[in-house]
């Protein structure tokens, strides 16, 4: 080492000894060996592990007093979330005592005095269990109203509602599900304060957002929660209109999108409306996005005849503004011969009643190579997710072509002589 001052710090103590974390400074001089002696204190201490006598689960909140051999109190200590009581001090070799003064909530106090011995370099370990005072939580779930979707009348028991039970520290202690009778019962729980919350509602019912407080107060108690879920109706709608007749090669053709709506009584996730263009007869050039009833952001994506992958054309748009967006091949940077086949406006989560306010418009031109009487159909659809189920709707518009275009006659090939 070069001459100078250095700092020494112990990173790991020998087994059975306490770490000496105090840094020491030592000077190194040319031609000399600098020596420094560290001393470690034997880790003579104790550890209590507090658990449930029924489940073996660790128990938090038990309080103990530790005494020396003369029954002089050394301090009061509490079990942590892993059920351990740590005595963070070095004890001399000898006999000690421990007594529980506060049991974990919902458990019977075990106030017997227990002795332990400390020997240099060892940690005295005490396994200490408590017997729970047990009670139970029961859910009785029924329909709050007449469900028009599945025909279930109000007051009917509802299966498949899932509830999570938490302790006062919001640790999950049980998960229960209602049966065909609409009943779900928790396992036997220690007397204590709990919180109950619905985490999955039955099909065609809305999730109850309330967190219920339950206090189990006496042994054998069955705390009954009579709860209901309101039915939900899901539906979406979209309307599409356009010209009934166009000319082949017409430079400006317009489709109008109205009636985009979440008609459900609940929010929908991944809400969108999409336009599938009639590419046999039409090429997209521009869209007006329209405005919507609730202010949030959304994006416009598209795919092409070269790639079905959705690409983002415009992002972070506001539903409060009606944008005129250039969707031409040049604006999108498409390759020669590439054109847009679908466009989609993606809104994410929308509330119940979300709807279009100012109409959206889709502009483009009609291909020249269309014969008189040719018909093409544009399809627009709308959808959203309710849980894991898609709710979707479709609108179509058919247009006829007036044209003087005559396709060229097939080329005549010279006779071969055969």
């Amino acid at each position: 080492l070069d001459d100078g001052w250095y700092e020494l710090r112990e990173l790991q103590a020998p087994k059975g000894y306490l770490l000496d974390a105090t840094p020491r400074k030592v000077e190194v001089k040319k031609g000399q060996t600098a020596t420094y002696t560290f001393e470690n204190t034997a880790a003579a201490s104790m550890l209590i592990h507090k658990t449930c006598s029924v489940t073996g689960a660790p128990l938090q909140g038990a309080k103990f007093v530790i005494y020396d051999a003369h029954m002089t109190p050394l301090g009061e200590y509490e079990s942590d979330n892993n059920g351990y009581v740590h005595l963070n001090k070095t004890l001399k070799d000898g006999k000690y005592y421990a007594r529980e003064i506060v049991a974990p909530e919902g458990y019977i106090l075990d106030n017997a005095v227990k002795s332990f011995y400390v020997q240099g370099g060892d940690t005295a370990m005490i396994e200490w269990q408590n017997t729970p005072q047990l009670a139970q939580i029961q859910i009785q779930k029924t329909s709050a109203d007449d469900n028009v979707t599945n025909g279930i009348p109000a007051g009917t028991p509802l299966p498949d509602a899932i509830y999570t039970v938490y302790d006062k520290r919001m640790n999950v202690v049980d998960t229960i599900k209602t049966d065909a009778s609409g009943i779900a019962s928790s396992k036997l729980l220690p007397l204590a304060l709990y919180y109950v919350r619905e985490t999955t509602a039955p099909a065609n019912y809305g999730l109850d957002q309330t967190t219920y407080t339950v206090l189990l107060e006496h042994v054998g108690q069955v705390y009954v929660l009579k709860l209901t879920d309101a039915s939900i109706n899901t539906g979406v709608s979209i309307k599409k209109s356009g010209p009934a007749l166009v000319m082949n090669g017409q430079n400006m053709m317009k489709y109008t999108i109205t009636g985009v709506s979440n008609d459900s009584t609940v929010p929908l996730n991944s809400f969108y409306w999409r336009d599938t263009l009639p590419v046999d007869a039409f090429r997209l050039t521009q869209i007006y996005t329209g405005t919507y009833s609730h202010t949030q952001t959304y994006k416009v994506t598209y795919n092409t005849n070269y790639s079905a992958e959705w690409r983002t054309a415009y992002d972070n748009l506001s539903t409060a503004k009606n944008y005129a967006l250039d969707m031409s091949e040049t604006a999108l940077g498409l390759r020669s011969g590439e054109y847009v086949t679908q466009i989609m406006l993606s809104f994410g989560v929308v509330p119940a009643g979300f709807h279009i306010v100012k109409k959206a418009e889709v502009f483009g031109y009609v291909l020249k190579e269309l014969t008189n009487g040719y018909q093409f159909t544009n399809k627009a659809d709308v959808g959203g997710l309710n849980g894991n189920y898609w709710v979707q709707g479709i609108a179509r518009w058919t247009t006829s072509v007036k044209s003087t275009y005559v396709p060229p006659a097939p080329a005549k090939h010279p006779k071969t002589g055969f």
Side-chain angles (χ1 to χ4, degrees), residues 3-195:
D3 288 2
W5 285 90
Y6 290 83
E7 183 179 278
L8 307 178
R9 186 189 302 269
E10 185 176 60
L11 300 180
Q12 182 174 331
K15 183 178 180 180
Y17 288 82
L18 300 178
L19 180 72
D20 182 357
T22 304
R24 306 297 202 281
K25 291 187 178 296
V26 61
E27 185 179 13
V28 172
K29 296 182 179 179
K30 185 177 181 180
Q32 299 180 14
T33 298
T35 302
Y36 198 97
T37 301
F38 281 83
E39 291 184 354
N40 288 93
T41 303
S45 189
M46 57 78 65
L47 190 66
I48 296 175
H49 190 209
K50 172 62 68 172
T51 57
C52 175
S53 63
V54 176
T55 65
L59 300 179
Q60 184 177 5
K63 293 183 180 180
F64 296 85
V65 174
I66 308 300
Y67 305 88
D68 65 14
H70 305 290
M71 292 302 292
T72 302
L74 300 179
E76 184 178 306
Y77 302 89
E78 183 174 344
S79 61
D80 61 19
N81 59 337
N82 294 313
Y84 286 104
V85 178
H86 300 268
L87 188 63
N88 298 318
K89 64 169 61 178
T90 302
L91 298 178
K92 297 179 180 180
D93 289 6
K95 186 176 182 180
Y96 294 85
Y97 299 93
R99 182 169 64 90
E100 185 177 64
I101 58 172
V102 176
E105 187 176 21
Y107 286 81
I108 299 171
L109 180 69
D110 180 1
N111 60 2
V113 177
K114 298 187 180 183
S115 62
F116 61 96
Y117 292 85
V118 170
Q119 295 179 343
D122 292 330
T123 298
M125 181 74 175
I126 304 174
E127 292 288 348
W128 201 318
Q129 294 186 328
N130 284 96
T131 301
Q133 296 174 293
L134 300 175
Q136 193 174 42
I137 300 171
Q138 186 181 92
I139 306 293
Q140 296 180 3
K141 170 69 76 173
T142 56
S143 177
D145 51 17
D146 295 334
N147 192 316
V148 298
T149 302
N150 56 22
I152 293 178
T156 302
L158 295 179
D160 301 327
I162 298 177
Y163 283 84
T164 302
V165 182
Y166 305 86
D167 64 17
K168 67 179 182 180
R169 298 180 179 87
M170 296 309 292
N171 299 310
V172 176
V173 297
D174 203 4
T175 300
I176 56 179
K177 182 178 180 180
T178 57
D179 59 17
S181 300
I183 295 175
S185 298
S186 74
K187 63 185 179 183
L188 293 175
L189 299 170
L191 303 184
L193 180 71
Y194 296 93
Y195 300 102

Side-chain angles (χ1 to χ4, degrees), residues 265-331:
T265 57
V266 291
L268 292 179
N269 297 320
S270 303
F271 189 81
Y272 73 90
W273 72 259
R274 172 174 53 189
D275 200 11
T276 300
L277 304 171
V279 293
D280 58 324
F282 179 85
R283 293 291 181 269
L284 178 68
T285 58
Q286 187 183 39
I287 64 172
Y288 281 79
T289 60
T291 60
Y292 301 84
S293 57
H294 295 76
T295 301
Q296 60 187 78
T297 60
Y298 66 98
K299 65 180 179 179
V300 176
T301 59
Y302 67 96
N303 56 31
T304 73
N305 59 319
Y306 281 8
S307 173
E309 180 181 352
W310 288 98
R311 311 177 206 173
T312 299
Y314 300 92
D315 204 350
N316 292 316
L317 303 179
S318 170
T319 53
K321 298 181 181 180
N322 186 19
Y323 297 93
L325 304 180
D326 190 346
M327 298 293 291
S328 64
E329 291 93 336
T330 302

Side-chain angles (χ1 to χ4, degrees), residues 330-403:
T330 302
L332 299 178
L334 303 185
R335 293 176 286 176
S336 175
E338 186 178 18
Y339 49 82
V340 175
T341 55
Q342 290 180 308
I343 59 171
M344 181 164 61
L345 278 65
S346 301
F347 299 87
V349 180
V350 299
F354 178 88
H355 63 275
I356 194 168
V357 175
K358 188 170 185 178
K359 63 186 178 182
E361 297 172 313
V362 178
F363 293 91
Y365 62 89
V366 182
L367 298 181
K368 295 179 180 180
E369 300 81 11
L370 299 178
T371 57
N372 193 49
Y374 186 85
Q375 290 187 329
F376 56 93
T377 300
N378 174 278
K379 183 183 79 172
D381 64 300
V382 62
L385 275 171
N386 175 36
N388 296 320
Y389 301 96
W390 280 102
V391 183
Q392 294 176 303
I394 297 176
R396 292 180 173 86
W397 186 268
T398 299
T399 300
S400 298
V401 176
K402 183 177 182 181
S403 174

